[in-house]
Amino acid sequence: MDTRPKVSSLLSRMANYTNLTQGAKEHEEAENITEGKKKPTKTLLTAISMSAIATNGVVPAGGSYFMISRALGPEFGGAVGLCFYLGTTFAAAMYILGAIEIFLVYIVPRAAIFRSDDALKESAAMLNNMRVYGTAFLVLMVLVVFIGVRYVNKFASLFLACVIVSILAIYAGAIKSSFAPPHFPVCMLGNRTLSSRHIDVCSKTKEINNMTVPSKLWGFFCNSSQFFNVTCDEYFVHNNVTSIQGIPGLASGIITENLWGNYLPKGEIIEKPSAKSSDVLGSLNHEYVLVDITTSFTLLVGIFFPSVTGIMAGSNRSGDLKDAQKSIPIGTILAILTTSFVYLSNVVLFGACIEGVVLRDKFGDAVKGNLVVGTLSWPSPWVIVIGSFFSTCGAGLQSLTGAPRLLQAIAKDNIIPFLRVFGHSKANGEPTWALLLTAAIAELGILIASLDLVAPILSMFFLMCYLFVNLACALQTLLRTPNWRPRFRYYHWALSFMGMSICLALMFISSWYYAIVAMVIAGMIYKYIEYQGAEKEWGDGIRGLSLSAARFALLRLEEGPPHTKNWRPQLLVLLKLDEDLHVKHPRLLTFASQLKAGKGLTIVGSVIVGNFLENYGEALAAEQTIKHLMEAEKVKGFCQLVVAAKLREGISHLIQSCGLGGMKHNTVVMGWPNGWRQSEDARAWKTFIGTVRVTTAAHLALLVAKNISFFPSNVEQFSEGNIDVWWIVHDGGMLMLLPFLLKQHKVWRKCSIRIFTVAQLEDNSIQMKKDLATFLYHLRIEAEVEVVEMHDSDISAYTYERTLMMEQRSQMLRHMRLSKTERDREAQLVKDRNSMLRLTSIGSDEDEETETYQEKVHMTWTKDKYMASRGQKAKSMEGFQDLLNMRPDQSNVRRMHTAVKLNEVIVNKSHEAKLVLLNMPGPPRNPEGDENYMEFLEVLTEGLERVLLVRGGGSEVITIYS
């Protein structure tokens, strides 16, 4: 029965889709006040990028996290989402601290619990008061949020009204100051600003009962406040005390003095540049108004930036919005335009109405602690005080509402396992556990108690979030993914890239060390999600970028074969499965991981015998089994399963078709068919020989691991021992390169390399050893060299290969004795010549192809050398044909004699070696000799614990040049 849904029901479900959390009863009320909660950003660029992403499909709960994670993947989304969550949570602490500062300084100063008459300890007492009251306010706000978002929304209307009234009062006061500025005196000594908190009159003297007596100010700068004939501060003596208007008004022209920056170090006296002053230094007195913190443009950006971080306020509550795709772009952009105008206009009005010394006086010491903006406003300073208090309280509630929902969205995606508990919520959808964690983190920010310390921290997290929102939009636009179809049309990748660059610059401009800390935190979260988090496929842009990069790289690889310097074994590991689809020899994967050390290409292939239509399910199950084994053995690569009617055909298909473009395997790894002698079914070892033939025909290198079950696991480490290489014939350098690669892995790192080469009795063994040592030196390979002398008849089975290759090997070693100039010209030419020649053996079917293959290679050596080589080869072929004319039984006896003699020598020298590598001769041309060939290899390797038979692919894989 067809269970697919009808088109009508499918369309109905999609049209009525809701992104509300299950059980959230009062969420629908939220959209009525959402726009009023958003605050502006410093630039419109991030809002444009966010609008494009928000209108590219349904945006459920999670807001910015959802946008980034679905655009850049779970790793980036989780890392940036958690950082943004921390930023939003610390923002709640900052807003609460701001509300407490207004409450204790301007509304109810007597409510302070901790007090100090010592000016130096007064700031510490204030911080303690903010910690106590901040904690109380946090608990109260958490209770409001815990009850439900409905009550937060009701408070929001009141807070919004207070903010609007406050803004209008500032504009009204600025206009009024142009014709009736408020009385707001500031006491000056010369051009230095004096604190008015402890002085009675702004004068050196005062009149009492028609008598001139010293004022309190006199006593602060002189040794006595009762007598005039005392020693006073030099600057105090030479400068007059005057009173200036702190708010001269809009028509005063003070903006020309405030137009340019004047950054001061901490402890510097705040001065009015245009005031008259004697050029004397004087002593530093506590009655001066001092700079409380070293100021700079970067520092002020970091402190000011949190006030414009409300761009994400609406997106954080995307799950509460009826139509997030419509509300987020319109609400955010309108809020930015409105509040940007308010911010910029207020900055201009303050600079045009208020003295610079007052603007720099952070705590209002020069104006008896009065709120400067409150004094400027009309009709009453209390409008600003109350408006600021409720504004910060409202912003704190919004942060405590948005942050838990952001954490809940991250937890529900299950990309960070230990956060799973924070995905739970009450019946009405409120994230209870996430709210409790948010409150605990916010309490840490309150305990810091300093706005100047909290502000840069959250600035980094917000800027990082904005950076990745811009990156997500730019990446999706440039990749032109089919799913990128935002309704918001007014975006461009260049704008997003510009916004991303500005965010990154602001991070380091405001505080480079905080920026590094934020990036390190995000990087640690990214790596944690990458290794421990759940794998998610969201069709993100990073996957698309990876595909584009892979396509570009594959096309580049098609331009030509890799240079010898770049050659590394790209493995095709052939695994055999049992009846239960389990891997018979998992140590093959272990060996592959040790050989690769995580580098290059690894393809793990296997064949299932049967019909594809009937065995498709088994193939999928086997593929998953192999992938799990690859993960356990830390093999980074790909898995390829083939269903074929015959095993040999399937293996042939794998060898021919695995890989893509220039990213193909060049080496086949397989296991030796153990127990082939006792097996009644000859198909196993015949398949082995068939695989050897296919590999040889494909010009691929071949590695056959014998006794693979005895090979070490990745947790074993040899503390000592040898890797023995038996270099009987030249194979393009495979035997030299493989032990070097193995030693890069921790299992084989402490092993030493020994290279044995076989010499004829007429050879100069001493000179050969010196030449080989020189050759290894130029290859930058550390190894012990030993030359073993054997009679020619003892290795007659290698006669063709040995006659053909020994001279080439000798030429290579001989060239090591040339002068440097000659060596540079000749050595690589010999290696190039060697790369033409195929490895062959008795009965091989490749001897007739050698000359053809040789002629296809582009030679750089002279014609004389070429003809000499051909003549040398023809001489070798004569000996080979003589051997072919022997009777079969005589030939087999000689092969076994060779195997036995070589085996005796190898076992004698290498019986304690951790691994033995030796040349693997090719299979016979006549299939009737296959069993003899298997017997030859069996006898050759008998008595050795771990053996790796190596057959080169016909090309040079190692070079002496850099």
Side-chain angles (χ1 to χ4, degrees), residues 757-823:
T757 186
V758 179
Q760 294 174 321
L761 295 179
E762 62 270 19
D763 290 333
N764 187 340
S765 301
I766 298 177
Q767 188 60 49
M768 282 187 65
K769 184 174 182 178
K770 291 182 180 180
D771 294 344
L772 183 55
T774 304
F775 180 47
L776 292 175
Y777 172 80
H778 287 289
L779 290 177
R780 289 89 65 199
I781 294 177
E782 296 182 5
E784 180 184 342
V785 176
E786 186 170 342
V787 178
V788 178
E789 292 185 350
M790 293 186 67
H791 195 277
D792 185 58
S793 61
D794 291 341
I795 51 173
S796 59
Y798 278 96
T799 298
Y800 174 63
E801 280 185 301
R802 179 167 172 76
T803 306
L804 193 61
M805 299 295 184
M806 180 62 74
E807 181 62 25
Q808 298 159 9
R809 186 184 62 182
S810 299
Q811 287 183 31
M812 290 178 60
L813 300 179
R814 199 178 303 123
H815 275 79
M816 296 298 103
R817 299 195 299 271
L818 297 176
S819 66
K820 184 179 185 302
T821 305
E822 293 173 325
R823 183 169 65 244

Side-chain angles (χ1 to χ4, degrees), residues 54 175 237 247 253 277 298 309 367 391 414 521 536 582 726 746:
I175 296 173
V237 172
I247 304 179
S277 174
T298 59
T309 54
V367 292
S391 174
N414 196 27
I521 292 174
K536 301 288 182 180
H582 293 153
W726 285 84
K746 62 181 180 179

Side-chain angles (χ1 to χ4, degrees), residues 567 569-573 665-669 700-703 734:
W567 195 95
Q570 315 286 13
L571 303 182
L572 170 59
V573 184
H665 56 278
N666 55 29
T667 304
V668 176
V669 180
L700 299 176
L702 177 64
L703 307 180
M734 282 286 290

Side-chain angles (χ1 to χ4, degrees), residues 278-297:
S278 298
D279 190 18
V280 291
L281 184 60
S283 61
L284 186 63
N285 194 291
H286 294 308
E287 294 309 307
Y288 291 128
V289 179
L290 307 178
V291 178
D292 71 305
I293 187 172
T294 301
T295 56
S296 63
F297 174 76

